[in-house]
């Protein structure tokens, strides 16, 4: 969608102009263990070819068969979120005339997820005309030559090319790619295994556009007769995310390659902000983390929580107990909000359900009903809908009975840029588990900050006009289903007037049915701030509006004192 497309483009433009590839990698250090999937392709734009590609010369080849090898596919997943990365058995040939040259013939012949690609609107060619040619004559500098990859995501056929081959190319993102930048993304070969460990070290060329491939840096080829290296990918699944189990804890299962020695994990009350905090957390994980066997579970006690979210951070370890992956995963869990003093009820609104009815149209239909809306006293731009699905007649069988209230939170400080925050819905669907709602925009706010998004002119798609909250087709609202451990985009409809190749990309979808009609409610929040007029003690709240009893030095809070509220950093 437009915002993902734009942010990926802008972020790459900034790093191309001002950062080395190593610095670029350091900016994304933690991986969200909950993946987002949906009907939209998962590719990220990397630039536009501004001139004809430079011709590359190859030696004359004499290809001979070697047998069956194993390729780890981090290619199709870069175009299709729905595809799961994994191993594919492939036919490998070597060049008898040039030592160290190899090629994979018909790489998608044994691909088991073709139906998934087709359902996402794509095609894969399964013919011997599709090859992946690799020059590993220098094991420390492995290249992937440009060839037809036999893949079309519905927007045209693509070639696959290594970043090493793009030196001197101008992608319109800050000048020509330097040889140094290209060299930094070369692959390696060791013990018969070829890897491209740097993220986005491979690229798709689709017409004049480039898109990132090898997005996780996991593409590899094990030549025939060599064992595939241990796959250190760790999957995690929690039966719940927004409400703890009856014992007050969350329960998480880790799974992965049985050869993984274990998973090291720690928990924390906050997500680290900035490189220094991330690096400190990784140090804690290394030195203080607990190790559990792969394919086992842990219990996460959140009784010491001080904010609305709680986190675990984890990574696989090797046989020596060292982190096998320097980019840990994280999982976020919601802490039930029992704060009632910090909120005031402003009245009832009419909510039209459009999240689950869009995602699961065979099960649910849009429905309008009354809900209670509350505003945060310390941060009057923050609102929440209390028990949003209790009045929903289609959800009676799925409402969970907890000793706390469930809320949908939304930020409306700017009525032209309203966004849904991560929230539990208080529902557990049959065979799908606990549900929650969030938005891609909220994810970006947490990662980049509102000022940065405003500078890039990236907006949420949500607006309040005449006291009615709606979202357009760029909203990126998503639903979490605990039974799958994934997020799914929702609240959009295909635009019947969209013309491929002519209409702007942001017009591909129309907004869905969700609507919150707050006609008659006071959305200003001014009265509540000024009513609390005594000078009194300063009260501190986090940016989600929850009261903080013991603010920590170096953190930003909303301070309420003397009838006024303002943001401040505690020192």
């Amino acid at each position: 969608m437009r915002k993902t497309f734009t942010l990926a483009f802008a972020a790459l433009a900034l790093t191309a102009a001002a950062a080395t590839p190593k610095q670029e990698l350091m900016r994304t250090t933690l991986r969200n263990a909950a993946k987002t999937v949906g009907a939209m392709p998962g590719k990220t734009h990397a630039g536009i070819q501004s001139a004809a590609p430079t011709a590359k010369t190859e030696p004359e080849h004499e290809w001979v068969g070697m047998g069956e090898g194993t390729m780890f596919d981090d290619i199709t997943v870069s175009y299709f979120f729905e595809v799961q990365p994994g191993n594919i058995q492939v036919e490998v040939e070597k060049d008898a005339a040039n030592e160290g040259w190899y090629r994979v013939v018909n790489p998608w012949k044994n691909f088991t997820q073709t139906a998934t690609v087709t359902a996402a609107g794509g095609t894969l060619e399964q013919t011997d005309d599709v090859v992946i040619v690799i020059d590993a004559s220098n094991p420390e500098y492995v290249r992937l030559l440009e060839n037809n990859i036999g893949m079309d995501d519905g927007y045209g056929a693509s070639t696959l090319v290594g970043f090493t081959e793009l030196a001197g190319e101008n992608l319109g993102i800050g000048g020509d790619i330097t040889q140094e930048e290209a060299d930094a993304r070369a692959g390696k070969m060791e013990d018969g295994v070829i890897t491209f460990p740097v993220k986005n070290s491979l690229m798709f060329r689709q017409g004049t556009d480039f898109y990132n491939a090898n997005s996780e840096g996991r593409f590899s080829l094990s030549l025939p007769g060599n064992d595939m290296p241990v796959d250190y990918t760790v999957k995690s699944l929690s039966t719940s995310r927004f409400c703890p189990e009856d014992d007050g804890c969350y329960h998480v299962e880790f799974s992965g390659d049985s050869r993984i020695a274990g998973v090291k994990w720690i928990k924390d009350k906050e997500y680290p902000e900035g490189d220094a905090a991330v690096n400190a957390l990784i140090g804690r994980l290394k030195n203080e983390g607990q190790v559990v066997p792969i394919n086992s579970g842990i219990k996460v006690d959140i009784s010491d929580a001080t904010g609305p979210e709680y986190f675990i951070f984890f990574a696989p370890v090797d046989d020596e107990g060292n982190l096998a992956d320097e980019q840990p995963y994280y999982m976020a869990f919601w802490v039930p909000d029992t704060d009632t003093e910090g909120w005031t009820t402003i009245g009832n609104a009419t909510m039209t359900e459009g999240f689950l009815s869009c995602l699961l149209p065979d099960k649910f239909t849009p429905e309008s009903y009354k809900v209670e809306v509350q505003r945060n006293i310390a941060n009057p731009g923050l609102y929440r809908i209390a028990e949003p699905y209790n009045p929903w007649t289609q959800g009676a069988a799925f409402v969970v009975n907890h000793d706390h209230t469930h809320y949908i939170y939304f930020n409306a400080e700017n009525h032209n840029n309203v966004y849904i925050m991560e929230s539990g819905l208080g529902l557990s669907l049959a065979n799908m588990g606990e549900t929650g709602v969030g938005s891609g925009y909220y994810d970006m706010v947490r990662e980049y900050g509102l000022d940065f998004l405003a500078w890039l002119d990236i907006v949420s798609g949500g607006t309040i006009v005449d006291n009615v909250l709606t979202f357009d087709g760029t909203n990126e609202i998503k639903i979490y289903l605990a039974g799958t451990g994934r997020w799914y985009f929702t609240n959009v409809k295909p635009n019947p007037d969209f013309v491929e190749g002519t209409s702007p990309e942001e017009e591909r979808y129309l907004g869905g049915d969700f609507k919150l009609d707050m006609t008659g409610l006071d959305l200003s929040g001014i009265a509540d701030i000024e009513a609390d007029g005594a000078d009194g003690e300063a009260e501190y709240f986090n940016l989600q509006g929850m009261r903080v009893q013991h603010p920590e030095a170096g953190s930003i809070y909303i301070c309420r004192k003397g009838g006024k509220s303002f943001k401040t950093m505690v020192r």
Side-chain angles (χ1 to χ4, degrees):
M1 299 179 71
R2 177 172 61 89
K3 296 182 292 302
T4 302
F5 174 98
T6 306
L7 186 59
F9 184 95
L12 186 53
L14 290 172
T15 55
T20 66
K22 182 178 181 181
Q23 290 170 325
E24 178 184 334
L25 289 174
M26 291 176 64
R27 288 191 175 128
T28 306
T29 318
L30 302 176
R31 287 182 287 188
N32 192 337
K35 190 176 181 182
T36 300
V37 300
M40 287 78 67
K43 65 184 184 183
T44 55
H45 197 262
I48 300 174
Q49 178 184 308
S50 60
T54 304
K56 306 290 183 180
T57 58
E58 288 187 43
E60 293 291 328
H61 299 295
E62 185 181 334
W63 298 110
V64 295
M66 292 181 67
E68 191 173 78
T70 305
M71 182 180 80
F72 190 91
D73 172 31
D74 195 4
I75 298 174
T76 56
V77 69
S78 298
Y79 258 6
F80 306 101
F81 268 140
E82 298 88 346
V83 170
Q84 294 294 303
N87 293 327
I88 306 174
Q89 299 307 116
V90 293
E91 290 299 319
V92 181
E93 296 180 341
K94 66 180 180 180
D95 186 355
N98 300 280
E99 185 176 356
W101 283 72
Y102 305 94
R103 74 174 184 176
V104 176
V105 180
N106 195 2
W108 313 121
K109 178 181 179 180
N110 297 318
F111 184 64
T112 60
Q113 301 180 72
T114 302
T116 302
V117 170
T118 301
T123 57
L124 289 176
E125 295 180 42
Q126 295 177 320
T127 71
D128 290 350
D129 294 331
V130 178
V131 295
I132 298 174
V133 178
I134 296 174
D135 171 15
S137 55
N138 178 355
E140 296 298 317
Y141 190 91
V142 176
R143 306 160 53 217
L144 189 145
L145 284 295
E146 184 165 10
N147 278 282
N148 170 34
I149 195 59
M151 185 184 304
D152 186 334
D153 65 341
Y155 297 89
S158 299
T159 60
L160 182 71
V161 59
F163 204 80
T164 56
E165 310 309 290
L166 299 181
E169 297 270 9
N170 188 319
L171 307 189
I173 53 174
D176 293 350
I177 295 174
T178 66
Q179 190 64 54
E180 181 183 9
E181 290 170 332
D183 292 348
R185 302 194 191 189
K188 298 183 182 299
M189 185 171 79
E190 184 177 0
D191 298 328
V193 180
I194 295 168
T195 60
F196 287 84
V198 178
K199 286 185 175 184
N200 304 325
S201 51
L202 308 179
M203 305 288 284
F204 294 111
R205 192 196 303 260
Q206 190 176 64
T208 58
D209 290 300
F210 284 91
Y211 297 92
N212 295 320
N214 194 34
S215 54
E216 292 295 327
R218 297 172 60 195
F219 173 81
S220 66
L221 175 65
S222 293
L223 300 177
N226 294 278
D227 291 334
M228 193 72 178
V230 176
D231 178 5
Y232 281 106
T233 304
V234 176
K235 296 180 180 179
S236 59
L237 184 64
S238 174
T239 53
S240 59
R241 177 187 178 93
F242 296 98
C243 299
E245 303 290 348
D246 292 340
D247 61 359
C249 301
Y250 285 97
H251 297 257
V252 180
E253 294 287 332
F254 296 127
S255 61
D257 191 323
S258 60
R259 296 172 293 172
I260 296 176
V263 178
K264 183 173 281 191
W265 72 283
I266 57 174
K267 63 177 186 174
D268 206 296
K269 293 175 283 187
E270 294 184 351
Y271 184 88
E273 301 292 345
D275 287 346
V278 168
N279 290 332
L281 183 137
I282 294 175
R284 275 189 54 214
L285 180 61
K286 291 178 178 178
N287 299 323
E288 304 172 17
Q290 304 176 54
V291 178
V292 296
I294 191 67
N295 300 318
S296 68
I298 62 171
K299 182 168 69 173
V300 183
D301 182 358
I302 64 169
S303 58
D304 60 339
T306 58
E309 289 182 292
Y310 207 87
F311 300 89
I312 64 168
F313 304 89
F314 58 94
V317 296
D318 58 24
D319 293 335
E320 285 73 42
N322 300 316
L323 296 190
D325 190 335
E326 292 289 332
Q327 187 186 18
Y329 300 88
Y330 74 90
M331 288 186 74
F333 303 97
W334 198 253
V335 178
D337 188 351
T338 58
D339 178 21
T340 56
E341 294 181 2
W343 297 80
T344 182
T345 298
I346 61 173
N348 290 331
T350 300
M351 179 174 124
T352 301
E353 201 292 319
F355 300 151
L356 293 173
S357 56
C358 173
L359 181 66
L360 303 168
D362 294 339
K363 296 181 179 293
F364 307 118
T365 57
E367 177 185 338
S368 298
Y369 47 87
K370 293 291 185 180
V371 293
E372 178 184 313
V373 179
Q374 300 176 358
R375 180 175 58 237
N376 189 267
I377 295 172
N379 184 359
L382 183 63
Y383 296 82
R384 67 185 187 184
I385 306 169
E387 296 292 11
Y389 278 84
N390 277 18
W392 187 43
T393 61
Q394 301 170 68
F398 309 116
V399 172
V400 294
N401 295 313
H402 290 154
D403 59 1
H404 57 266
T405 305
H406 307 93
Y407 304 96
I408 291 180
Y409 295 82
F410 62 95
N411 187 302
E413 290 180 309
N414 180 350
H415 284 199
N416 293 315
N417 192 36
V418 182
Y419 56 92
I420 297 285
M421 303 167 71
E422 204 164 289
S423 314
L425 298 182
L427 296 174
S428 183
L429 302 182
N431 302 318
M432 299 179 192
E434 180 201 32
T435 62
V437 67
S439 64
Y441 190 81
Y442 178 55
D443 295 341
M444 290 191 287
V445 168
R446 291 197 294 183
E447 184 164 356
Y448 301 103
L450 275 171
D451 290 342
F452 183 69
L453 299 182
W455 179 68
L456 294 174
D457 196 27
I458 299 174
V459 294
S460 66
T463 56
I464 294 177
V465 178
D466 295 330
N467 274 32
V468 178
L469 169 61
T470 58
F471 291 88
D472 66 20
T474 68
N475 63 78
E476 288 191 342
I477 293 174
K478 53 188 182 177
I479 287 290
Y480 182 77
L481 300 178
T484 66
R486 294 186 172 197
W487 291 92
Y488 299 82
F489 289 116
T490 189
N491 198 46
V492 290
K493 300 177 180 178
N495 183 355
D497 297 325
F498 182 83
V499 179
E500 194 70 57
T502 301
S503 300
E505 182 63 26
E506 59 264 31
E507 296 180 6
R508 179 177 294 275
Y509 298 95
L510 301 175
D513 292 302
F514 175 83
K515 179 171 64 175
L516 186 65
D517 188 340
M518 296 175 283
T519 300
L521 303 188
D522 177 14
L523 304 185
S524 67
I526 296 174
D528 285 323
I529 295 176
E530 295 183 347
D532 186 21
D535 287 340
E537 294 288 332
E539 296 179 283
Y540 292 92
F541 301 80
N542 60 31
L543 298 184
Q544 284 72 39
M546 295 184 67
R547 190 186 307 273
V548 177
Q549 298 295 339
H550 305 289
E552 298 181 2
S555 297
I556 296 176
Y557 297 95
I558 296 168
C559 178
R560 182 167 58 140
K561 185 178 182 180
K564 296 182 179 180
S565 298
F566 52 91
K567 288 184 180 179
T568 184
M569 176 181 288
V570 176
R571 302 186 185 278

